[in-house]
Amino acid sequence: MTVPGRRSSTFSRLLRHGFTDPSGAERLLDVPELSTLRGDDVLLDALGATADPDLALRGLVRLVEAQPETERQTFTTTLLAAKPFRDRLLGVLGASEALADHLARHPRDWESLVTYEAADLHPGVAEFERGLAEATDEVSLRVAYRRCLLAIAARDVCGTIDVAETAAELADLATATLRAALAIARAAAPADAALCRLAVIAMGKCGGHELNYVSDVDVIFVGEPAQEAGDPEGGEAKAMQAATRLASHLMRICSETTVEGTIWPVDANLRPEGRNGPLVRTLSSHLAYYQRWAKTWEFQALLKARAVAGDPELGAQYIDAVSPLVWQAAERENFVPDVQKMRRRVVDNIPAAQIDRELKLGPGGLRDVEFAVQLLQLVHGRSDAGLHSGSTLDALAALAAGGYVGRADAAQLDEAYRFLRAMEHRIQLYRLRRTHLVPEDDADLRRLGRSLGLRTDPVAELNKEWKRHAAVVRRLHEKLFYRPLLDAVAQLAPGEIRLSTKAAGQRLEALGYADPAAALRHLEALASGVSRKAAIQRTLLPVLLGWFADSADPDAGLLGFRKVSDALGKTPWYLRLLRDEGAAAENLARVLSAGRLAPDLLLRAPEAVALLGDPEGLKPRGQEHLEQEVLAAVGRASDAEQAVAAARGVRRRELFRTAAADLIGSYGTEDSPREPDPGALVDRVGEAVTDLNAATIAGALRAAVRAEWGDELPTRFAVIGMGRFGGHELGYGSDADVLFVHEPREGVDEQDAAKAAGKVVAEMRRLLQLPTADPPLLIDADLRPEGKSGPLVRTLKSYAAYYHRWSLVWESQALLRAEPIAGDRELGERFIELADPLRYPAEGLGEDAVREIRRLKARMESERLPRGADPTLHAKLGRGGLSDVEWTVQLLQMQHGWAEPGLRTTRTRDALRAAHAAGLIPTEEAQTLDEAWVLATRVRNAVMLVRGRPGDTFPSDPRELAAVGRYLGYEAGHVGEMVDDYRRITRRARAVVEELFYGA
């Protein structure tokens, strides 16, 4: 019976030694096999030094109970007498529940931890092969593998080897295991073994000597006939079949689950053509594929290729043959777009709830380090053989030694990578499961923290250290690429090896810069010197360069940044904005590198960069607010030219605001993800450009009136928006389609009123088209009665008389999008009252009118499409484009608008939704038309943003086409997919148009 005082004393001792369940530990210590050790501080001290004393004690009890009666005394005596053995055994039991299970099943395996010969401190492949030598089948191989793994884990948890040595030993054990599995497979099929030569090439972490405790072992199989291919008994086809059977058997031996568990899955999906390709190929077949079809990521994977098993001569031949291809990958035509694609982290498949726990793929994870190092190896390894290492840490050290990475950066990255890999090892070691997720349970976190030497407050310390190292990785992932480029042109850190101009150029080329020499000149101008401006820009540029490289035109982004900095570099708020406002710098980088329009607008008034740092700065302002600002500016001006210059200045700033918001919404940033609804972007752009053009016209009207008549024109005057203007669907390059209407004031002669109205129109058009640095606003009045032959401005009565007597069906159709946008609001509303019966005729359209609309549409399709234009890619007039969708919707409005109030709108998408709600268009067809209209509108907007001038079809220049693709959401190298998608979507829309519009 336990004495109460003694129990209290033991309880306290157990708590002091790190037990979280002292009551349970007491019960375990009371088992007969351990009762003699109960009061021994040696055992408690050893248990308390483990990652999880409770887990270690439970494993120890199981191991003791599993010993044969005759061996228990020997075991307990050895446990107390031999401290190295005690530390190794309890260290493993406190860190790995899975290895405790193994020891319980194989209780004599503790003996492998009793002694260490000097040669065994860092065993190589040969030593592990001896440890597996007696394995003759799958089960015995698994048992022997776990026994060897037990020894590695013991060295690891006791600190005898560091994380890199642990990973190397695990790779060596994997090598020995592959050789043993192949030997078993060959013994099971001697006929197959006689027919072929088979080499096993390790890839990934196994090939790089940096394997995890539990990981797929990536391999490639190379086969050749054992005899000449022409021999009927050793022909190539038979040899490949035999080699495939052997390779498949090897994979099953390692991958299948038995009572002893699984060793690890063997993954051959890195082979040519992946899982769709043959499991085994000849050497010549491999080379043919790599020379003709392989993608950049496949050469990146080959960085770690290492022959590990099978025919050593064939394995060496494979490595010798593929190595030169790896180091030529950076010279491939598609290297840059491939790199741009690979640089973007693919986290879409990680569940949102797990992304913050992802040690490998999450932000600041292991993949960041590995990718950065591998890319720099590919870029610079073609001229520096010292970088040809499959190990991440060895390659990082070589990059630092060669000056390709700053030494301080390399040291920080090395430390962070080691810590993250150690976390990964200990997480996997617990249950020997393949996982990269940091556990959530406090008990698991406590064990993990203690296993890494964090003992004061393991959970809090672990989280702090993990976040700190992840932040370092995240920051240095970008800095690794770009900081050495700055040092190459403005070396300030004494003692650092400088990146050569040639190496800097190679790196810039690999990151997508078409003119690396010019880029280096820009960097030198921005980063050189000791001024505050240069110092801040040296801090900003490593991140900015990464964002530029993530675009379709990095050169333009860097040049634009230099120009903006030259203009604003001495302005204190500019540098403070970029340094202190996290979103401002990234927003600026996205805007400067996305095309010509937004940078051109910005460079005409660089102070507009302030909009990018204000959370509210990119939100569009409504027409009322804009009109107030414009009219106030016009009122302060001394003459009409200055007044309209002020109005056009507001328009320029608002165009920049709208374009910047559109680009940032389309590309997405770290703080603001990509806008998921393209239609919402289109609507915002259309509304914003319409509002600012309306405010600008209002300002021009006020300036024209004031110049001649002061505050009051002798006739009431209104501007009616037509087409896209009236529909609130303007794009960046759209003209302003309008009608001008006036009505003489009481007592004013009609002829005098008409002259005054004509003068106002002429003066407005002149003022808005004056040559200035601001983008022009072209007024187009061709939709007026009689077209170009008719007067520019009419009275309301004249419009009424014309429409009553002469109006054609196309003119009624044009009125569907008529809306007052400036001038006398009441007069404008009366014009709309005049238009309503024409555009929404009572009882709808007659058959003759429908036929006339169809005839006009068909004629337009045949006559107005530009010569040589591809009708499947013309966004306005092409198949399934804007014209197709709009004419279809407008026909429904004219047929049913009299009865369906929802159709009485100037906006195409609103009318389409109303037609669907009224049952005039089925759901799928309505969605098809909407998708095509939105896409075609975005293509036109993208062309204007990218080229700085309007266009209705995709650019032919590859870089411009890539920029359009990025705006539309396609990653680098996917412009073909973009064009195919456009054709597919518009083809479906045209089929709907054929049915609904033409009645086909």
Side-chain angles (χ1 to χ4, degrees):
M1 186 178 77
T2 304
V3 179
R6 180 183 173 190
R7 181 183 185 282
S8 176
S9 172
T10 304
F11 199 88
S12 298
R13 288 170 62 221
L14 290 170
L15 282 174
R16 285 198 307 274
H17 281 87
F19 288 86
T20 58
D21 181 13
S23 297
E26 275 198 299
R27 288 193 296 273
L28 290 174
L29 288 169
D30 278 337
V31 301
E33 293 80 6
L34 289 182
S35 58
T36 57
L37 306 177
R38 180 185 179 93
D40 199 315
D41 279 342
V42 169
L43 179 61
L44 287 182
D45 287 343
L47 287 167
T50 66
D52 186 339
D54 300 89
L55 180 68
L57 180 56
R58 289 197 299 271
L60 178 61
V61 170
R62 292 176 63 202
L63 178 57
V64 171
E65 290 175 341
Q67 298 299 317
E69 290 285 348
T70 57
E71 299 292 333
R72 287 181 184 172
Q73 185 61 46
T74 301
F75 172 76
T76 54
T77 300
T78 307
L79 182 67
L80 285 179
K83 183 180 187 306
F85 164 69
R86 182 169 63 249
D87 291 343
R88 291 192 286 268
L89 175 64
L90 296 181
V92 169
L93 293 175
S96 178
E97 188 175 71
L99 288 177
D101 291 343
H102 172 84
L103 284 169
R105 287 195 306 271
H106 304 281
R108 296 295 298 272
D109 277 3
W110 65 270
E111 295 174 357
S112 65
L113 300 179
V114 173
T115 59
Y116 275 96
E117 296 294 337
D120 289 334
L121 287 175
H122 299 293
V125 176
E127 286 77 9
F128 287 125
E129 284 188 291
R130 285 196 288 273
L132 304 176
E134 296 179 5
T136 57
D137 56 32
E138 299 175 19
V139 174
S140 60
L141 181 60
R142 281 166 172 70
V143 173
Y145 172 82
R146 288 290 172 94
R147 188 183 305 118
C148 293
L149 191 68
L150 179 68
I152 296 175
R155 287 190 284 275
D156 178 17
V157 298
C158 291
T160 306
I161 53 178
D162 65 17
V163 66
E165 292 168 324
T166 301
E169 287 195 14
L170 289 167
D172 285 342
L173 175 57
T175 297
T177 305
L178 288 169
R179 292 177 182 178
L182 181 57
I184 293 171
R186 291 171 66 89
D192 284 342
L195 279 175
C196 65
R197 301 162 62 202
L198 179 66
V200 184
I201 311 299
M203 305 286 285
K205 291 190 181 305
C206 184
H209 262 106
E210 48 189 17
L211 197 60
N212 297 331
Y213 274 103
V214 186
S215 177
D216 291 355
V217 170
D218 296 305
V219 299
I220 287 176
F221 295 108
V222 189
E224 294 287 349
Q227 304 174 29
E228 289 298 324
D231 188 295
E233 295 300 320
E236 184 173 300
K238 284 186 176 181
M240 290 301 99
Q241 292 168 2
T244 299
R245 288 191 290 270
L246 289 176
S248 298
H249 192 183
L250 178 153
M251 294 175 70
R252 288 196 303 275
I253 290 170
C254 296
S255 305
E256 287 183 349
T257 302
T258 68
V259 67
E260 294 295 336
T262 302
I263 299 178
W264 19 247
V266 176
D267 188 341
N269 288 336
L270 290 178
R271 67 186 184 268
E273 300 180 81
R275 66 183 62 199
N276 297 320
L279 183 62
V280 183
R281 287 177 183 257
T282 63
L283 178 56
S284 60
S285 177
H286 276 96
L287 292 178
Y289 173 84
Y290 288 128
Q291 290 165 348
R292 187 170 183 184
W293 303 110
K295 297 179 175 61
T296 300
W297 70 264
E298 294 179 276
F299 293 109
Q300 184 181 3
L302 286 169
L303 269 171
K304 296 181 179 293
R306 180 169 62 93
V308 292
D311 190 295
E313 183 181 353
L314 180 57
Q317 289 173 345
Y318 175 88
I319 298 300
D320 291 343
V322 300
S323 289
L325 300 178
V326 172
W327 306 113
Q328 294 165 11
E331 299 168 6
R332 290 162 53 88
E333 183 179 352
N334 61 340
F335 182 74
V336 170
D338 284 351
V339 165
Q340 288 178 321
K341 179 181 176 182
M342 291 189 295
R343 285 187 67 252
R344 299 182 187 97
R345 189 191 332 280
V346 182
V347 295
D348 294 344
N349 294 327
I350 303 175
Q354 296 180 359
I355 192 167
D356 291 334
R357 298 166 49 219
E358 248 290 346
L359 203 60
K360 179 178 180 180
L361 301 176
L366 292 163
R367 178 63 57 83
D368 273 355
V369 184
E370 293 162 356
F371 174 81
V373 169
Q374 289 164 20
L375 177 55
L376 291 175
Q377 285 181 275
L378 288 176
V379 173
H380 301 298
R382 48 185 160 170
S383 57
D384 187 345
L387 304 180
H388 297 188
S389 171
S391 162
T392 300
L393 291 176
D394 289 349
L396 179 59
L399 286 165
Y404 305 103
V405 174
R407 290 175 180 172
D409 292 345
Q412 284 187 306
L413 205 61
D414 181 280
E415 180 188 6
Y417 186 72
R418 288 175 184 273
F419 182 85
L420 296 175
R421 283 302 304 274
M423 279 185 69
E424 181 184 48
H425 280 178
R426 301 300 166 80
I427 290 169
Q428 293 184 348
L429 181 59
Y430 176 46
R431 286 183 175 150
L432 289 181
R433 290 179 182 172
R434 184 176 182 268
T435 179
H436 310 287
L437 289 178
V438 177
E440 295 178 291
D441 183 75
D442 276 357
D444 291 331
L445 290 171
R446 181 177 184 273
R447 181 184 60 256
L448 180 57
R450 284 174 58 90
S451 77
L452 296 171
L454 307 173
R455 297 300 173 96
T456 304
D457 186 352
V459 176
E461 291 178 77
L462 174 67
N463 281 317
K464 181 180 178 181
E465 286 297 291
W466 171 35
K467 298 303 181 187
R468 179 175 71 86
H469 286 299
V472 167
V473 171
R474 197 172 184 184
R475 176 173 56 84
L476 292 181
H477 180 233
E478 295 293 347
K479 190 180 175 185
L480 271 186
F481 292 103
Y482 305 112
R483 180 49 57 91
L485 292 170
L486 302 186
D487 291 339
V489 296
Q491 188 175 22
L492 296 175
E496 283 285 350
I497 300 174
R498 184 170 176 167
L499 195 66
S500 71
T501 302
K502 178 182 177 183
Q506 288 177 335
R507 186 173 302 191
L508 284 164
E509 281 183 320
L511 294 165
Y513 289 83
D515 188 351
L520 285 172
R521 289 195 298 272
H522 298 325
L523 289 176
E524 185 172 11
L526 288 162
S528 295
V530 293
S531 67
R532 176 175 174 272
K533 171 186 172 183
I536 292 176
Q537 288 179 161
R538 282 194 296 273
T539 301
L540 291 170
L541 276 166
V543 182
L544 286 170
L545 286 169
W547 288 323
F548 294 150
D550 198 35
S551 74
D553 195 349
D555 300 81
L558 181 56
L559 174 60
F561 180 67
R562 180 179 176 183
K563 289 180 177 179
V564 172
S565 290
D566 287 346
L568 294 177
K570 294 182 180 179
T571 309
W573 64 261
Y574 166 69
L575 292 171
R576 188 167 58 247
L577 172 77
L578 296 185
R579 183 192 62 196
D580 299 339
E581 297 290 339
E586 184 173 5
N587 289 344
L588 177 62
R590 298 300 184 203
V591 167
L592 290 175
S593 56
R596 295 186 59 179
L597 178 64
D600 286 350
L601 293 168
L602 178 61
L603 291 170
R604 288 169 186 160
E607 65 276 3
V609 76
L611 299 174
L612 302 176
D614 180 1
E616 302 294 314
L618 296 176
K619 291 185 178 179
R621 302 160 74 202
Q623 182 179 347
E624 182 178 353
H625 188 108
L626 290 169
E627 192 167 315
Q628 288 176 356
E629 181 182 0
V630 167
L631 293 180
V634 168
R636 292 190 298 268
S638 59
D639 57 39
E641 283 81 1
Q642 287 187 9
V644 171
R648 289 173 66 176
V650 173
R651 178 172 180 266
R652 177 194 59 231
R653 183 197 67 211
E654 295 306 314
L655 269 177
F656 173 73
R657 187 197 306 272
T658 302
D662 187 17
L663 289 167
I664 292 163
S666 297
Y667 281 79
T669 64
E670 185 174 323
D671 295 326
S672 177
R674 182 193 299 276
E675 166 63 62
D677 180 9
L681 282 171
V682 165
D683 291 344
R684 282 202 293 270
V685 170
E687 197 73 43
V689 177
T690 298
D691 286 346
L692 68 94
N693 280 359
T696 306
I697 288 175
L701 174 58
R702 175 70 60 86
V705 170
R706 284 184 62 212
E708 177 111 7
W709 296 278
D711 292 332
E712 188 172 281
L713 189 65
T715 185
R716 301 173 71 187
F717 188 93
V719 184
I720 309 299
M722 302 288 285
R724 294 202 186 313
F725 200 178
H728 293 247
E729 298 163 353
L730 287 178
Y732 299 107
S734 299
D735 294 347
D737 290 313
V738 297
L739 296 180
F740 299 109
V741 58
H742 79 103
E743 185 175 68
R745 296 187 186 278
E746 188 175 345
V748 176
D749 180 76
E750 286 196 13
Q751 201 167 17
D752 291 341
K755 286 181 180 178
K759 279 187 178 181
V760 168
V761 172
E763 181 67 357
M764 286 176 61
R765 299 180 81 185
R766 182 187 75 83
L767 291 171
L768 288 170
Q769 295 177 36
L770 285 173
T772 69
D774 296 316
L777 176 55
L778 301 178
I779 300 294
D780 187 341
D782 289 352
L783 292 176
R784 64 187 185 271
E786 301 177 84
K788 294 180 180 180
S789 303
L792 275 171
V793 59
R794 290 175 181 259
T795 64
L796 187 62
K797 287 181 180 179
S798 175
Y799 276 108
Y802 175 86
Y803 286 133
H804 176 72
R805 186 172 183 183
W806 304 109
S807 175
L808 300 174
V809 68
W810 73 265
E811 292 175 303
S812 297
Q813 182 181 353
L815 289 171
L816 282 166
R817 295 206 277 187
E819 182 171 293
I821 53 95
D824 190 298
R825 178 61 57 180
E826 192 268 341
L827 178 60
E829 294 299 339
R830 283 162 55 206
F831 180 90
I832 297 305
E833 291 174 8
L834 166 69
D836 277 350
L838 295 162
R839 55 187 181 177
Y840 310 124
E843 305 301 328
L845 292 174
E847 291 186 8
D848 289 344
V850 172
R851 279 196 298 270
E852 176 64 9
I853 289 176
R854 289 172 176 168
R855 186 187 67 80
L856 288 171
K857 176 71 168 67
R859 178 181 171 188
M860 186 179 71
E861 289 178 11
S862 63
E863 295 180 1
R864 293 184 58 188
L865 191 70
R867 180 175 297 178
D870 184 344
T872 68
L873 294 177
H874 198 278
K876 182 178 180 180
L877 301 173
R879 180 194 69 187
L882 296 172
S883 176
D884 269 1
V885 177
E886 289 165 1
W887 280 63
T888 301
V889 172
Q890 289 162 16
L891 180 59
L892 291 172
Q893 287 180 283
M894 297 184 77
Q895 287 176 314
H896 303 282
W898 65 278
E900 296 291 343
L903 290 171
R904 298 171 206 162
T905 175
T906 63
R907 293 161 165 81
T908 300
R909 298 187 75 208
D910 286 353
L912 185 55
R913 283 189 282 264
H916 170 250
L920 302 174
I921 304 180
T923 299
E924 185 175 348
E925 283 82 346
Q927 291 173 345
T928 297
L929 292 180
D930 185 72
E931 182 182 18
W933 190 89
V934 167
L935 178 57
T937 302
R938 296 203 75 211
V939 168
R940 296 181 89 205
N941 282 344
V943 170
M944 184 66 186
L945 285 167
V946 169
R947 303 179 69 191
R949 60 182 189 275
D952 290 316
T953 191
F954 291 96
S956 56
D957 178 85
R959 187 159 287 222
E960 292 178 344
L961 185 62
V964 169
R966 291 297 312 282
Y967 173 84
L968 295 177
Y970 291 86
E971 301 292 353
H974 287 265
V975 292
E977 181 183 335
M978 170 184 68
V979 174
D980 289 344
D981 285 348
Y982 182 87
R983 285 193 168 112
R984 174 179 53 80
I985 291 167
T986 53
R987 182 177 65 247
R988 291 170 51 211
R990 178 64 183 194
V992 176
V993 171
E994 293 283 357
E995 179 183 351
L996 295 178
F997 182 82
Y998 287 110

